[in-house]
Amino acid sequence: MATGTFPDNFLFGAATAAHQIEGSNTNSDWWAFEHTASSGCRDSSGDACDSWHRWDEDLALVQSLGLNSYRFSVEWARVEPAPGEFSPVALDHYRRIVQRCHDRGLVPVVTLHHFTLPTWMAERGGFESPEIAARLGAYTERVAGAIGDGIGLACTINEPNIVALMGYLLGVFPPAVRDRKRFEVVSDAMRSSHRAMVEALRAGPGRYPVGLTLSMAEMEAIEGGEAQYAQALEHLEDAYLRAVGGDDFIGVQCYTRLRFGPDGPVDIPEGARRTLMGYEFRPEVVEHTVRRAAAVCGLPVVVTETGISADDDAERIEFIDTALRGVAACIADGIDVRGFYYWTLLDNFEWVLGYSQPFGIVACDRATFERMPKPSATHLGRIARSRELGSPVGAEPRQ
Ligand code: FCB
């Protein structure tokens, strides 16, 4: 296959997460965190994009763009509002989303856990609770029973390494802990929870690929930073890549490059191009991490997230083109890459940073919730339809 073309069954999609788009996820640890003054959260997630009600509008949009898949997450706090108490209404809601995806020709990619916990689970110790793997397993069993026959691809835990890092080592996500020992306990719990969830999904109806989605970066050591680099690689990536044997795919999620000096991560070089998040602009990270994930764990790869926060949509188009060129190069080299999901469909609630980070290919009016596709949405859709990387960077109209 010529570089720049994608196989017929390649999945082109956009990704979202329940808490970031649904709105009023009031029974979750994140909602509580957003409403705690000391958390540093910029905004309350509030009504988010109101996708709890407007989800079919979202699916219609994904379909109309020409994408063939949609990645979304099921919200544990809604499905199991109290321990052992499951909501048929919530399960039915997600069942309708899955069914409608099929009606619209979209492969539904379902994530079981995307950053949030029900408040009752957080109160019982969250990922430090000895119950966590069993609890996530039981929740997953219910979800699998309700929607498994329609799932196209399942992701267990979204970026378990980021949940552990941000929540237990850097103290910026709930429960805002900074403790290496507790970080290690939680990291182990992530891997055992993942296994329990894989088992629960495989024991239920439907046969579909199951995998973990891992946050990866293009990591480098600068002089004297070799030990810090090696430690980060081990704890944030390799310990997970070794734990996914027997899964059906690895989900790669990547945004930038990280450099390590003797004291840990160093600032990006002066003059380097930055995104609105402050990250180094580095779409080449996709090719780097896909190659690395495939080499280390040997599984087929799905790029389950990559994207850029940018006011200037031309930058987003450039990012997408370079990222996809990297994916095409991997495929041309025989690496089994099955899909590419842009993060994210809609400008949405970016955790601690609230509504300040426009990652979406579609803008969302904060008062009316009107969805307004950006040129990048049409651009990605055109690539998805033609399965070819066409026009050179810069050929799109600027927003
Ligand atoms: C990833 C998360 C996603 C979003 C993007 C920008 O780490 O999975 O929810 O926050 O970053």
Side-chain angles (χ1 to χ4, degrees):
M1 190 167 308
T3 305
T5 61
F6 296 87
D8 284 347
N9 55 356
F10 192 81
L11 296 168
F12 281 101
T16 61
H19 189 77
Q20 295 176 273
I21 62 164
E22 285 180 348
S24 298
N25 185 26
T26 56
N27 194 32
S28 66
D29 62 340
W30 262 93
W31 182 271
F33 193 62
E34 289 152 38
H35 294 85
T36 302
S38 59
S39 70
C41 287
R42 178 182 184 272
D43 300 313
S44 159
S45 52
D47 288 328
C49 303
D50 192 29
S51 290
W52 180 258
H53 301 107
R54 293 170 202 253
W55 58 270
D56 197 31
E57 208 182 309
D58 296 342
L59 300 187
L61 206 59
V62 176
Q63 178 187 20
S64 72
L65 294 175
L67 304 177
N68 62 3
S69 186
Y70 179 58
R71 176 174 177 235
F72 65 97
S73 75
V74 171
E75 182 54 53
W76 186 8
R78 293 193 199 267
V79 167
E80 191 177 1
E85 192 180 313
F86 291 90
S87 162
V89 167
L91 287 168
D92 187 55
H93 171 88
Y94 293 113
R95 183 163 180 81
R96 280 181 286 132
I97 298 182
V98 164
Q99 283 173 337
R100 201 78 180 114
C101 279
H102 289 288
D103 296 345
R104 293 189 177 281
L106 303 173
V107 174
V109 177
V110 178
T111 305
L112 275 299
H113 179 279
H114 197 126
F115 286 9
T116 50
L117 289 173
T119 39
W120 61 263
M121 189 69 240
E123 281 159 10
R124 288 175 178 220
F127 279 98
E128 292 176 283
S129 162
E131 289 183 357
I132 188 68
R135 288 282 179 190
L136 269 167
Y139 150 72
T140 302
E141 191 184 321
R142 287 296 178 121
V143 177
I147 67 172
D149 57 350
I151 292 178
L153 215 84
C155 309
T156 56
I157 307 182
N158 182 77
E159 300 187 348
N161 51 344
I162 291 298
V163 178
L165 177 74
M166 303 290 266
Y168 296 85
L169 195 60
L170 303 181
V172 267
F173 281 7
V177 166
R178 291 163 176 248
D179 183 314
R180 178 153 283 276
K181 186 82 211 104
R182 290 171 71 179
F183 163 75
E184 283 168 13
V185 167
V186 165
S187 300
D188 286 341
M190 292 294 171
R191 295 183 278 267
S192 47
S193 297
H194 168 67
R195 290 262 66 88
M197 294 165 85
V198 171
E199 274 173 37
L201 290 164
R202 287 191 173 152
R207 286 289 158 266
Y208 46 85
V210 176
L212 181 83
T213 63
L214 193 65
S215 172
M216 296 181 71
E218 188 174 344
M219 296 200 204
E220 290 176 2
I222 59 167
E223 218 188 316
E226 293 77 10
Q228 292 281 349
Y229 159 81
Q231 201 186 22
L233 212 55
E234 169 58 21
H235 288 290
L236 296 179
E237 298 191 1
D238 292 358
Y240 290 91
L241 292 172
R242 283 197 303 271
V244 295
D247 290 1
D248 302 304
F249 70 94
I250 179 75
V252 167
Q253 315 207 150
C254 54
Y255 290 87
T256 194
R257 169 159 62 181
L258 295 177
R259 293 193 180 79
F260 292 84
D263 303 317
V266 295
D267 280 346
I268 67 175
E270 209 155 306
R273 213 171 140 187
R274 282 175 192 261
T275 74
L276 260 192
M277 285 285 270
Y279 296 164
E280 181 182 353
F281 180 90
R282 188 70 185 165
E284 294 84 356
V285 67
V286 176
E287 177 169 357
H288 177 94
T289 51
V290 166
R291 287 187 189 277
R292 182 156 199 283
V296 178
C297 76
L299 296 175
V301 177
V302 179
V303 178
T304 39
E305 276 183 29
T306 190
I308 175 180
S309 168
D311 283 324
D312 181 355
D313 196 51
E315 287 201 283
R316 187 170 293 99
I317 289 171
E318 183 186 345
F319 188 98
I320 289 172
D321 280 346
T322 307
L324 278 172
R325 211 158 271 127
V327 172
C330 292
I331 295 173
D333 285 348
I335 298 174
D336 187 357
V337 192
R338 306 217 169 148
F340 177 93
Y341 292 79
Y342 179 79
W343 180 271
T344 180
L345 178 66
L346 303 165
D347 286 344
N348 65 34
F349 177 74
E350 179 50 36
W351 310 109
V352 177
L353 301 174
Y355 291 100
S356 66
Q357 299 298 322
F359 271 94
I361 48 176
V362 176
C364 178
D365 186 282
R366 297 260 13 94
T368 64
F369 306 104
E370 189 193 343
R371 276 87 167 124
M372 293 158 288
K374 305 177 190 178
S376 54
T378 319
H379 183 81
L380 181 60
R382 185 159 56 242
I383 297 171
R385 282 199 176 98
S386 67
R387 319 204 146 272
E388 268 177 31
L389 287 169
S391 41
V393 169
E396 292 294 318
R398 289 173 90 86
Q399 207 187 10

